[in-house]
């Protein structure tokens, strides 16, 4: 189909443009994708830095928040990148790339092979694979987790329905209160309370209020109440 | 001369233990300091009425003077514990303070009326003090200290005993105390509490050496307010009424 050049190679070739037709190259699309990739790259590096800092100083409280924020940004960027790639998928799939004759093939062999590479690197393949399998396992976990949570909620509701809450005593306590010993205990408790109140009353000379500090101060200053 | 910032409050007897524990925790002072003070209130016996002259300071006041010293419950009586309530049947007996050859350190104190103003957050007043070491002897059947006061131009008009504990919170002094007045004369001097409700009086104050040291005063005020805020659930510290702290002698016109 049409010929397209990655921009690095393009820079090398523009010095000597041998009547090349650029009009069919989807420059704007490619540029867009390149920008997005750049952003992702930057964010990934930042995230890596934060993770490193966090590992060194795990007690720096807010670091966790920073990492989460950056991850959020990264996810958004991945989203827009994926959308961009998706909308241009046809174009990207059908485009063949090859260098122009002016490209210094022998000197820049490494660069050229990198630029022309269409398949992912073996290690990239590996982690894509592992990520996919992991995702399957995890999604199972999430589902079982959700189910378990639902079951727990249901059980709690069931247990709650078996009880009725009135007052501040348990059934055992209420039953004990009904027995003669329980009644005796209750009576004693009340008596104790009364005694305490009585003592309190005696201490404060029949529940007298405290003399107001102002009155006391007046006495202290002028000897009169 | 000291400038005293003061807040006061009161607690019933039943809150004593809780208050003491809280203050121990707040101040980190495990053993509060005990205070037992005896105060004689005196009043000048001559009316001082300078001739009114325009252009001169005409607002000249006479003040009550306090003579303060320490006291101890009589050795015969059981040791006094302010954590215990005092009942009308209880006997608190103090020894006579003025006995021949007894040496007392007296603090003579005249306090100005607290500063006026609507938005006073703490009571602030100036206190003038002087210390006097006195060996009590008998002069014509009268105690030498009373003779001295007489010569100074003051009559003893009342007396009270203070017993309580003291805490120190930074530069703020927190006092929890009871006042006792004389009951009647028997052997020794029998006392009864001024306030029969067995409540405690609380005084929180900070003394500042100079009344002109505005910075210290505002800092001290802040400290007291902080304390007030800290303790608001335990007892409410208040600004005392200024007129109740008026120790000027009201001379008949």
């Amino acid at each position: 189909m049409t010929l397209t050049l990655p921009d690095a190679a393009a820079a090398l070739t523009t010095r000597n443009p041998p009547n090349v037709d650029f009009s069919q190259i989807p420059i704007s699309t490619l540029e867009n994708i390149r920008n997005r990739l750049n952003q992702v790259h930057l964010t990934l590096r930042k995230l890596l830095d934060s993770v490193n800092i966090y590992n060194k100083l795990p007690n720096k409280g807010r670091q966790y928040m920073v990492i989460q924020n950056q991850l959020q940004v990264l996810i958004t960027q991945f989203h827009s990148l994926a959308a961009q790639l998706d909308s241009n998928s046809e174009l990207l799939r059908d485009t063949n790339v090859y260098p122009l004759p002016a490209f210094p093939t022998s000197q820049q062999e490494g660069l050229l092979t990198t630029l022309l590479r269409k398949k992912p690197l073996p290690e990239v393949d590996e982690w894509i694979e592992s990520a996919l399998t992991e995702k399957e396992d995890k999604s199972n976990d999430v589902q079982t987790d959700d189910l378990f949570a639902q079951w727990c909620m249901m059980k709690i509701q069931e247990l709650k329905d078996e009880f009725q809450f009135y007052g501040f005593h348990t059934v055992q306590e209420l039953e004990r209160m009904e027995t003669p010993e329980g009644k005796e205990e209750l009576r004693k408790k009340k008596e104790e309370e009364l005694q305490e109140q009585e003592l309190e009353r005696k201490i404060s000379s029949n529940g007298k209020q405290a003399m107001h500090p102002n009155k006391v101060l007046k006495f202290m200053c002028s000897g009169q109440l | 001369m000291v400038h005293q910032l003061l807040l006061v409050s009161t607690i019933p007897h039943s809150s004593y233990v809780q208050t003491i524990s809280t203050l121990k925790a707040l101040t980190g002072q495990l053993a509060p300091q005990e205070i037992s003070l005896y105060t004689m209130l005196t009043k000048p016996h001559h009316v001082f009425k300078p001739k009114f002259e325009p252009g001169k300071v005409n607002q000249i006041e006479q003040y009550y003077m306090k003579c303060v010293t320490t006291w101890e419950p009589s050795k015969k009586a059981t040791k006094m514990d302010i954590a215990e309530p005092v009942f009308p049947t209880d006997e608190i007996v103090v020894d006579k303070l003025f006995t021949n050859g007894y040496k007392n350190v007296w603090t003579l104190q005249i306090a100005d009326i607290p500063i006026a103003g609507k938005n006073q957050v703490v009571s602030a007043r100036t206190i003038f003090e002087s210390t006097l070491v006195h060996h009590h002897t008998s002069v014509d059947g009268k105690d030498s200290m009373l003779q001295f006061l007489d010569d100074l131009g003051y009559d003893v008009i009342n007396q009270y005993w203070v017993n309580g504990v003291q805490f120190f919170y930074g530069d703020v002094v927190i006092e929890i105390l009871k006042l006792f007045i004389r009951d009647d004369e028997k052997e020794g001097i029998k006392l009864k509490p001024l306030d029969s409700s067995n409540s405690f009086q609380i005084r929180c104050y900070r003394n500042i050496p100079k009344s002109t040291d505005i910075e210290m005063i505002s800092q001290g005020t802040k400290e007291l307010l902080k304390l007030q805020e800290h303790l608001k659930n335990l007892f409410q510290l208040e600004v005392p009424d200024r007129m109740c702290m008026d120790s000027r002698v009201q001379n008949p016109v």
Side-chain angles (χ1 to χ4, degrees), chain A residues 203 205 208 211 214 220 223, chain B residues 66 158 195-196 198 201 241:
Chain A
I203 286 176
S205 305
K208 252 196 196 172
M211 199 176 268
N214 281 340
M220 287 168 86
Chain B
K66 284 183 194 173
N158 212 336
D195 180 0
S196 55
N198 263 312
Q201 295 290 322
D241 182 6

Side-chain angles (χ1 to χ4, degrees), chain A residues 200 202-205 208-214 216-225, chain B residues 8 10 13-14 41 64 66 157-158 160 181 194-199 201 238 240-241 244:
Chain A
E200 197 63 39
K202 208 175 146 199
I203 286 176
S204 59
S205 305
K208 252 196 196 172
Q209 283 292 305
M211 199 176 268
H212 196 274
N214 281 340
V216 176
L217 278 170
K218 196 173 174 202
F219 175 78
M220 287 168 86
C221 284
S222 59
Q224 286 148 13
L225 276 175
Chain B
V8 295
T10 169
H13 193 90
S14 50
L41 270 168
Y64 289 96
K66 284 183 194 173
I157 55 155
N158 212 336
Y160 59 83
I181 49 173
L194 173 73
D195 180 0
S196 55
S197 75
N198 263 312
S199 299
Q201 295 290 322
E238 302 167 0
D241 182 6
C244 290

Side-chain angles (χ1 to χ4, degrees), chain A residues 164-177:
Chain A
Q164 285 183 316
F165 296 98
Y166 301 107
F168 298 100
H169 297 282
T170 60
V171 175
Q172 280 100 325
E173 276 170 335
L174 284 172
E175 273 168 10
R176 173 137 182 88
M177 271 179 217

Side-chain angles (χ1 to χ4, degrees), chain A residues 31-215:
Chain A
E31 194 58 24
N32 237 332
I33 294 171
R34 197 174 71 101
N35 273 336
R36 292 282 144 81
L37 278 169
N38 223 355
Q39 280 176 355
V40 170
H41 181 221
L42 268 174
T43 319
L44 272 171
R45 277 181 66 166
K46 262 194 203 162
L47 184 63
L48 185 67
D49 279 350
S50 331
V51 170
N52 279 341
I53 290 172
Y54 183 73
N55 282 343
K56 270 180 224 158
L57 310 156
N59 291 334
K60 285 272 179 202
R62 288 181 52 79
Q63 205 58 43
Y64 176 70
M65 288 269 292
V66 173
I67 290 173
Q68 208 175 22
N69 286 344
Q70 270 167 7
L71 188 67
Q72 206 58 46
V73 171
L74 191 63
I75 289 168
T76 325
Q77 285 173 349
F78 267 130
H79 246 286
S80 76
L81 180 67
Q84 193 70 238
L85 286 172
D86 191 47
S87 64
N88 296 300
S89 59
E90 209 170 302
L91 181 74
L92 288 168
R93 198 181 55 236
D94 296 344
T95 302
N96 285 314
V97 181
Y98 60 86
L100 287 171
F103 190 82
T105 325
S106 45
Q107 287 105 311
Q108 302 288 341
E109 207 184 322
L111 177 65
L112 192 66
T113 45
T114 312
L115 287 172
L116 293 182
R117 190 172 183 96
K118 289 203 98 177
K119 277 185 185 167
L121 290 166
E123 65 253 39
V124 175
D125 260 338
E126 235 166 70
W127 70 249
I128 290 176
E129 194 68 29
S130 68
L132 281 173
T133 50
E134 217 162 277
K135 186 194 154 227
E136 245 158 55
D137 294 350
K138 278 279 148 55
S139 72
N140 281 344
D141 274 5
V142 170
Q143 269 177 3
T144 45
D145 267 6
D146 278 355
L147 279 175
F148 180 65
Q150 265 175 17
W151 179 84
C152 286
M153 292 288 283
M154 224 170 62
K155 205 75 198 161
I156 287 170
Q157 193 56 46
E158 265 173 39
L159 288 171
K160 237 164 102 181
D161 288 343
E162 282 176 27
F163 286 98
Q164 285 183 316
F165 296 98
Y166 301 107
F168 298 100
H169 297 282
T170 60
V171 175
Q172 280 100 325
E173 276 170 335
L174 284 172
E175 273 168 10
R176 173 137 182 88
M177 271 179 217
E178 287 305 309
T179 61
E181 306 104 77
K183 273 182 185 163
E184 184 65 17
E185 254 172 46
L186 217 65
R187 203 178 55 76
K188 266 191 189 154
K189 232 187 206 170
K190 249 187 197 154
E191 232 164 58
E192 264 168 39
E193 258 170 43
L194 274 176
Q195 263 172 10
E196 242 166 65
Q197 276 174 12
E198 179 62 25
L199 183 68
E200 197 63 39
R201 207 180 55 77
K202 208 175 146 199
I203 286 176
S204 59
S205 305
N206 287 330
K208 252 196 196 172
Q209 283 292 305
M211 199 176 268
H212 196 274
N214 281 340
K215 215 173 164 192

Side-chain angles (χ1 to χ4, degrees), chain B residues 49-238:
Chain B
K49 266 203 180 159
K51 201 175 143 198
F52 181 84
E53 275 180 65
K56 280 199 172 176
V57 178
N58 286 302
Q59 203 196 357
I60 296 168
E61 307 276 1
Q62 283 179 293
Y63 289 88
Y64 289 96
M65 180 172 73
K66 284 183 194 173
C67 308
V68 188
T69 191
T70 53
W71 67 285
E72 266 173 49
S74 175
K75 286 185 187 74
K76 279 172 266 167
T78 44
K79 201 182 176 305
M80 201 166 155
D81 183 5
I82 61 155
E84 294 299 322
V86 183
F87 297 111
T89 48
D90 290 350
E91 280 202 4
I92 312 162
V93 181
V94 284
D95 286 332
K96 252 189 148 174
L97 278 171
F98 314 143
T99 41
N100 262 339
Y102 197 83
K103 190 178 90 177
N104 264 334
V105 180
W106 289 91
T107 303
L108 308 186
Q109 195 183 76
I110 289 176
D112 204 351
I113 182 166
I115 292 167
K118 262 186 185 168
N119 300 318
Q120 296 285 334
V121 285
V122 297
S123 166
R125 61 174 178 166
T126 309
I127 299 172
F128 301 87
E129 277 183 339
S130 181
T131 307
L132 174 77
V133 180
H134 190 85
H135 288 266
H136 291 269
T137 53
S138 186
V139 183
D140 306 332
K142 198 179 175 188
D143 182 76
S144 55
M145 180 68 191
L146 299 177
Q147 185 60 48
F148 166 77
L149 287 173
D150 197 28
D151 294 345
L152 199 63
Y154 284 87
D155 294 328
V156 177
I157 55 155
N158 212 336
Q159 58 187 347
Y160 59 83
W161 287 257
V162 167
N163 193 16
V165 288
Q166 241 177 1
F167 286 95
F168 302 100
Y169 181 64
D171 289 325
V172 179
V173 184
I174 305 167
E175 290 181 352
I176 297 174
L177 43 90
K178 274 184 183 172
L179 256 77
F180 296 91
I181 49 173
R182 192 159 175 174
D183 205 352
D184 56 41
E185 193 148 7
K186 274 186 192 163
E187 204 177 318
I189 297 164
K190 220 179 125 195
L191 298 187
K192 67 172 181 189
L194 173 73
D195 180 0
S196 55
S197 75
N198 263 312
S199 299
F200 291 91
Q201 295 290 322
I202 296 176
R203 297 157 52 82
C204 293
Y205 61 87
R206 176 165 177 188
N207 288 340
I208 286 149
K210 270 190 192 155
S211 59
T212 45
D213 196 342
I214 305 297
E215 228 167 79
M216 277 279 261
I217 290 173
S218 70
Q219 194 206 329
T221 308
K222 263 185 217 153
E223 270 175 38
L224 277 173
L225 290 180
K226 211 173 92 190
L227 187 68
Q228 185 184 34
E229 176 65 22
H230 266 317
L231 297 174
K232 71 175 178 197
N233 289 325
L234 196 61
F235 47 78
Q236 188 65 49
L237 285 166
E238 302 167 0

